[in-house]
Each structure stands twice: as C-alpha cells, then as structure tokens.
Amino acid sequence: MSAACRAPRTSATTRRAAKLTVGAAVAALALTACGSGGTSGGGNNTNFVTNSGGIATVKKGERHDAPDLTGKDLEGKPIDLADYKGKVVVLNVWGSWCSPCRAEAPNLVKVAHENKSKNVQFIGINTRDTNTSPAKEFERGFGVEYPSFYDPTGKLLLKFKKGTLNPQAIPSTIVIDRDGKIAARALKALSTNSLREMLDPVVAEK
C-alpha cells in the first residue's frame, strides 16, 4: 500500500486511550484503506450476488435494513439517515487522504447531479480524517454539494451488521432503497458507468 493511501498514524499512547474510550470502534480501523477490507462480510443467509465488476446486489424482498446512522456533518450540524427514508440513498465511505477516493469523487458528483430530480440523495461518511479541515478542502476541491457524516473513528461503520452488504473498504459505496434497505454495494472506487449500474435499477424500482 502506498503512503498516499494510508490514514494518519497515531501515537501508542493515543491508540491505548482509544481502545479504552471507543472500544469496538477501534475495530473499524481494521478496514483496509484504499482497498478491500479485512472485515468479513459473510455469514448465513446473505442473499447477495457479486457480479464480475465487484458490485454486490440483493433482490428486493431479501434485503436487510440499513442501520440507524446519526451524527454530525463536517460543519457540525446534525445529520440523520432516517430523514431520507422514501428516497434512494447513495452512501459513500471516503477519506481525504485516500487516493482512490479522490479518483472517484468527480464521478460521484456527476452522477449525483444527474439524479438530483429523481428523489435520490447522496451522503458521505468521512472517516479517519483527524479533523474536518482536509475533508472540507476535499469537498471544495471536487465540488461536492451533498453532506457527509464526520466519523473519524469508524463508529458508524460498525453499525452495519455482519452478513449484510456492510462497508469493508475505503472507499465503499452502498445503495439504499426507498424502504431503507441495502440494495447494492461496491468495495472499490467507481467509474460513472459502474455507479450508474448500481444505482439505476434501484431508482427504477416501483
């Protein structure tokens, strides 16, 4: 893994303190930066199928509920995933330090703009940025207009249940249907075509 893809390191003292204070959230940092992760997404009755492009999908009627995600955005304002139920939601896990995240950012912005009138909401989960300044600069640089949760320790990522289409990499992208259920997942940087391949079938659902 190149240095550009690594999250900022912390001191041994900070790491020990983090284990005591955030407990299981530290496990989220086992996610492999800029690549496929080390957290298992398997389990019984997963019901998902992964195509040759690495996009996993679940048929309507066999999907798991997305977790309750609440927190603050990069500006410190409250944000709640439940507020977007009834819309198709594209949830993208990213970090300003992650080169593949930078590569896919223009594609996310483009497809978000294309779907603005189709009751589709894009939301980010910014993780492993130790403060919001580089994340805000990332958004300004790429013209990102949709909000992002600020999740530096990965607590929100742990809310996705094992055996579902949980995020296991940075970047990861998840599509949530209008009923609040997880319909598709990609564990890689996406092109515009790959993102449309994930999103368009869910938008077309009745």
Side-chain angles (χ1 to χ4, degrees):
M1 187 189 304
S2 68
C5 287
R6 296 194 185 103
R9 293 181 179 273
T10 57
S11 68
T13 300
T14 302
R15 288 197 300 272
R16 285 195 296 271
K19 288 178 182 177
L20 293 172
T21 56
V22 298
V26 175
L29 302 186
L31 292 169
T32 302
C34 304
S36 59
T39 303
S40 173
N44 295 327
N45 301 316
T46 55
N47 295 325
F48 58 81
V49 177
T50 304
N51 69 15
S52 59
I55 297 171
T57 58
V58 183
K59 294 179 181 178
K60 193 172 183 178
E62 299 180 357
R63 298 168 182 167
H64 293 273
D65 289 332
D68 294 327
L69 300 181
T70 60
K72 293 185 178 180
D73 66 14
L74 296 176
E75 301 296 336
K77 298 176 182 177
I79 181 171
D80 189 338
L81 181 62
D83 290 342
Y84 301 99
K85 194 167 183 178
K87 294 186 175 185
V88 175
V89 174
V90 179
L91 197 62
N92 177 253
V93 181
W94 64 280
S96 67
W97 43 269
C98 169
S99 295
C101 300
R102 292 179 175 276
E104 73 170 358
N107 304 329
L108 290 162
V109 169
K110 182 176 181 178
V111 177
H113 182 74
E114 291 173 356
N115 286 274
K116 203 168 185 179
S117 63
K118 298 179 183 178
N119 214 24
V120 175
Q121 177 66 51
F122 279 60
I123 303 173
I125 299 180
N126 171 256
T127 192
R128 299 199 201 176
D129 275 310
T130 55
N131 64 74
T132 60
S133 295
K136 289 178 182 178
E137 181 60 32
F138 179 103
E139 290 193 333
R140 284 192 294 269
F142 290 106
V144 177
E145 296 180 350
Y146 51 83
S148 283
F149 288 97
Y150 180 51
D151 185 33
T153 60
K155 289 182 179 180
L156 294 181
L157 304 183
L158 285 176
K159 290 181 175 287
F160 289 83
K161 293 180 180 179
K162 184 177 178 179
T164 68
L165 291 178
N166 55 324
Q168 299 177 40
I170 304 169
S172 289
T173 300
I174 289 171
V175 177
I176 300 169
D177 68 19
R178 294 182 183 89
D179 297 320
K181 297 180 181 295
I182 301 172
R185 178 194 65 188
L187 301 176
K188 62 177 185 177
L190 293 169
S191 66
T192 52
N193 286 341
S194 294
L195 182 51
R196 292 181 190 120
E197 181 183 349
M198 287 180 67
L199 178 59
D200 289 353
V202 184
V203 172
E205 290 175 352
K206 301 300 183 182

